[in-house]
């Protein structure tokens, strides 16, 4: 991390002190050389040297996951040709677990480990190398010596051909952009590196320097982006009262079709479609992503669940609080665009309706509690299948909705004196800055209650740990709004499936819980061939002239065999909500609305 403040360093020291083994006290010196002789074939060559050794063996390890992306990804699978030398002679390096190599170092003061990493996975959380650039997601690139997680290291980058720029939040050594240093591995593993010919521009907010590194081109307007991104930074800094960085880096990968983001301590990686900046919808979508990932520099990277740091890089790190870490960030990404004056009132309300519709139209919201969704992120969230819509709910979407409800509850209960912002700032100051650790579930609940001025036991029982239907109008009513389902009075029939089409083939992609297809045995993967004996080649033909209660025969092709399945159509339970103002909001409701939306 670049120029981290003294107070933050003290907090990090407290965070990691308890996990530093005695062996880490040995003043080892660790350095890396990264080169790309086979960039066109998607390889990075790594040379790691550890000196100052005083032990019979050295174990080197690679993390199995990337913090912020809650899935064991087994990065060691991409390592090949690992070897070790000392004094220009080969020494034994034996793989002893899926991500660990043991090197014989008896009588050896310094050892060099060489290996290649295959990097050809396009995402914000995995490394990618080709002839045009290298993106190093550091958890999947750098081995680290066991027991030395708190040791500093230096990285020397040997660029490929015409690559002339490095974008990262790591410190430069002697002003050399191609020589970097990290004070410990938690910082190194939280600092991705972009190397190539990227377009770099920037801006400054309250003394904090921001770089934006654009790879892949695009129809972006640098001046407009700089101005709007600065507004977002300023609004988000206002929530917490300070920006703990002196330098922050946005790494943006523009491709034909791209998306997603991954937060880091002093940087973030964003995926964008290179032509999306040209439309207002695409441009605001990018700014929403910027707002989300930048908000994380406080929420989760510093104000964090207690399970998320110090990290265990070998195993899953479980928490029930991703609905705060990610869900609240999803709420704030929309709220900050409103508070920054980038989107109008109705634009923000429309974004919140999108989250509400997603929650209410997902059958799994009646099956999986929000806290469980967080805990099971490791086995469900990043591994969706055809039945996920029926068994789970996203802690992003429902977490954003819960953030809205709690914000409105606090504003209303405090007579518009406090908001969720005050909770976030209080928790940041109390736990990250004050105690130098993460928070527990009970501690964050107490933070909500402090500013709401009431116990939230029932709220937690119903909406966090339970499956109660959300009373939207209770909370929206505080601000003089109401939620209306535009489809509430309709009698549209449904088959209860999600369909996909390839050519003339109509295929069932998902079967929705308790719908007609669920009850009557239509399967995912079935090709719908005919309805009541009439061939169909378009989705609209399936429900044409049908009514609720109709009994129809669906002919499907399943594994090369034809089946005729009798199905009884039911009413489509899909919701299409909108938020609208009450006809005569009270003075108190308008005060809540003004506080909430900064009108």
């Amino acid at each position: 991390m670049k120029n981290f403040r003294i107070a933050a360093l003290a907090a990090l020291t407290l965070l990691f002190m308890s996990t530093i083994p005695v062996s880490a006290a040995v003043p080892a010196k660790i350095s890396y050389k990264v080169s790309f002789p086979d960039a066109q074939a998607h390889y990075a060559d790594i040379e790691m040297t550890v000196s100052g050794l005083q032990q019979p063996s050295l174990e080197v390890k690679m993390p199995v996951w990337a913090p912020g992306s809650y899935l064991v990804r087994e990065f060691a699978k991409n390592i090949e040709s690992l070897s070790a030398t000392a004094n220009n002679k080969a020494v034994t390096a034996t793989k002893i677990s899926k991500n660990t190599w043991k090197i014989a170092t008896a009588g050896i003061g310094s050892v060099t480990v060489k290996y290649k990493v295959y990097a050809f996975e396009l995402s914000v959380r995995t490394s990618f190398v080709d002839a045009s650039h290298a993106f190093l997601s550091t958890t999947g690139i750098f081995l680290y010596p066991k027991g030395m997680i708190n040791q500093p290291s230096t990285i020397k980058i040997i660029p490929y051909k015409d690559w002339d720029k490095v974008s990262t939040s790591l410190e430069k050594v002697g002003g050399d952009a191609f020589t970097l240093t990290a004070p410990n591995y938690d910082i190194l593993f939280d600092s991705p590196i972009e190397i190539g010919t990227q377009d770099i521009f920037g801006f400054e907010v309250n003394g904090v320097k921001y770089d934006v590194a654009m790879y892949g081109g695009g129809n972006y307007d640098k001046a407009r982006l700089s101005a709007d991104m600065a507004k977002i930074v300023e609004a988000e800094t206002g929530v917490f009262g300070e920006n703990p960085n002196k330098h922050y880096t946005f790494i943006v990968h523009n491709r034909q079709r791209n998306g997603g983001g991954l937060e880091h301590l002093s940087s973030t990686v964003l995926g964008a479609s290179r032509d999306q900046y040209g439309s207002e919808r695409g441009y605001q979508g990018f700014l929403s992503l910027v707002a989300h990932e930048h908000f994380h520099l406080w929420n989760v990277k510093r104000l964090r669940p207690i399970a998320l740091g110090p990290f265990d890089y070998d195993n899953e790190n479980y928490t029930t609080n991703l609905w705060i870490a990610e869900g609240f960030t999803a709420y704030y990404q929309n709220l900050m665009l409103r508070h920054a004056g980038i989107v109008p009132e109705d634009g923000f309300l429309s974004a919140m309706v999108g989250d509400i519709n997603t929650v209410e139209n997902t059958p799994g919201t009646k099956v999986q509690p929000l806290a469980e969704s967080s805990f099971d992120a490791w086995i469900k969230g990043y591994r969706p299948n055809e039945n996920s819509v029926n068994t789970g709910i996203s802690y992003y979407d429902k977490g954003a909705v819960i953030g809205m409800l709690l914000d409105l509850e606090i504003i209303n209960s405090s007579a518009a004196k406090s908001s969720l912002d005050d909770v976030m700032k209080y928790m940041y100051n109390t736990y990250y800055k004050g105690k130098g650790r993460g928070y527990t579930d009970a501690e964050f609940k107490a933070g909500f209650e402090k500013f709401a001025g009431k116990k939230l036991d029932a709220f937690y029982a119903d909406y966090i740990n339970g499956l109660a239907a959300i009373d939207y109008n209770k909370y929206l009513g505080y601000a003089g709004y109401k939620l209306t389902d535009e489809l509430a009075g309709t009698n549209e029939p449904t088959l209860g499936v999600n369909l996909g089409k390839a050519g003339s083939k109509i295929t069932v992609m998902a079967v929705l819980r308790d719908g007609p297809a669920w009850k009557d045995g239509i399967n995912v993967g079935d090709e719908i061939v005919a309805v009541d004996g009439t061939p169909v080649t378009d989705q609209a033909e399936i429900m044409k002239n049908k009514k609720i209660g109709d009994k129809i025969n669906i002919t499907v092709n399943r594994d090369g065999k034809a089946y005729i399945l009798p199905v009884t159509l039911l009413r489509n339970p899909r919701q299409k909500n909108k938020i609208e103002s009450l006809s005569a909001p009270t003075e108190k409701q308008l005060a809540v609305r003004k506080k909430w939306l900064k009108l």
Side-chain angles (χ1 to χ4, degrees), residues 388-540:
S388 293
V389 68
N390 295 316
T391 63
I393 188 65
S394 166
Y395 48 78
Y396 285 89
D397 300 316
K398 191 169 182 179
V401 169
I402 295 301
M404 178 186 73
L405 302 187
L406 285 168
D407 202 2
L408 288 167
E409 178 64 58
I410 293 165
I411 297 172
N412 181 70
S413 297
S414 67
K417 292 183 176 64
S418 301
S419 70
L420 187 60
D421 290 6
D422 296 286
V423 179
M424 303 301 286
K425 183 176 181 179
Y426 167 78
M427 295 297 292
Y428 174 81
N429 287 332
T430 301
Y431 292 96
Y432 169 66
K433 293 183 68 177
K435 298 181 184 296
R437 65 167 175 84
Y439 57 81
T440 66
D441 183 81
E443 287 167 342
F444 219 119
K445 178 173 177 287
F448 294 135
E449 293 171 340
K450 174 180 174 67
F451 289 92
K454 62 173 68 175
K455 287 290 185 181
L456 294 172
D457 294 353
F459 187 97
Y460 263 69
D462 287 345
Y463 301 149
I464 310 304
N465 301 312
L467 299 170
I470 295 175
D471 186 354
Y472 292 103
N473 283 325
K474 171 185 174 180
Y475 297 92
L476 288 169
Y478 292 152
Y481 293 109
K482 64 179 179 179
L483 187 73
T484 303
D485 179 8
E486 297 179 289
L487 300 179
T490 63
N491 288 302
E492 177 188 70
T494 184
L495 191 58
V497 295
N498 292 336
L499 299 173
K501 188 174 182 182
S504 62
K505 291 185 177 181
I506 303 170
T507 304
V508 176
M509 308 304 293
V511 175
L512 304 182
R513 184 181 291 272
D514 294 330
W518 174 285
K519 294 177 181 292
D520 294 325
I522 293 177
N523 290 353
V524 168
D526 284 351
E527 178 193 347
I528 296 181
V529 177
V531 176
D532 290 332
T534 302
V536 293
T537 57
D538 188 85
Q539 296 180 23

Side-chain angles (χ1 to χ4, degrees), residues 53 84-92 103-113:
L53 295 173
T85 59
N87 300 319
N88 296 317
K89 295 181 180 179
V91 295
T92 302
I103 301 167
T105 56
I108 294 174
S110 177
V111 66
T112 296
V113 181

Side-chain angles (χ1 to χ4, degrees), residues 188-209:
L188 177 58
F189 290 151
D190 217 359
S191 305
I193 305 169
E194 174 74 18
I195 311 156
T197 59
Q198 61 269 23
D199 181 21
I200 301 174
F201 61 95
F203 55 91
E204 189 171 305
V205 178
N206 298 326
V208 181
K209 185 177 184 295

Side-chain angles (χ1 to χ4, degrees), residues 170-189:
L170 290 172
E171 287 276 15
K172 301 173 185 175
V173 176
D176 180 4
F178 290 89
T179 305
L180 309 169
T181 184
N184 58 55
Y185 279 94
D186 292 292
I187 301 296
L188 177 58
F189 290 151

Side-chain angles (χ1 to χ4, degrees), residues 28-34 46-51 110-113 115 142-143 145 151-156 179-181 185 188:
K29 182 179 180 181
I30 307 165
S31 64
Y32 298 89
K33 184 169 72 173
V34 183
I46 316 297
E47 185 176 304
M48 172 191 188
T49 299
V50 185
S51 57
S110 177
V111 66
T112 296
V113 181
Y115 57 98
F142 296 109
L143 293 170
Q151 295 294 95
S153 60
T154 59
I155 302 100
K156 178 64 178 176
T179 305
L180 309 169
T181 184
Y185 279 94
L188 177 58

Side-chain angles (χ1 to χ4, degrees), residues 62-120:
M62 178 164 277
V64 303
W65 68 292
S69 180
Y70 306 102
L71 177 68
V72 171
R73 296 183 183 275
E74 310 293 19
F75 294 122
K77 67 186 178 183
N78 295 317
I79 290 180
E80 61 183 73
S81 303
L82 186 143
S83 63
T85 59
N87 300 319
N88 296 317
K89 295 181 180 179
V91 295
T92 302
T94 305
K95 193 170 187 179
I96 60 173
S97 75
K98 65 181 182 180
N99 66 323
T100 309
W101 287 258
K102 187 174 184 178
I103 301 167
T105 56
I108 294 174
S110 177
V111 66
T112 296
V113 181
K114 295 181 180 181
Y115 57 98
K116 300 173 75 70
V117 177
Y118 181 68
F120 195 55

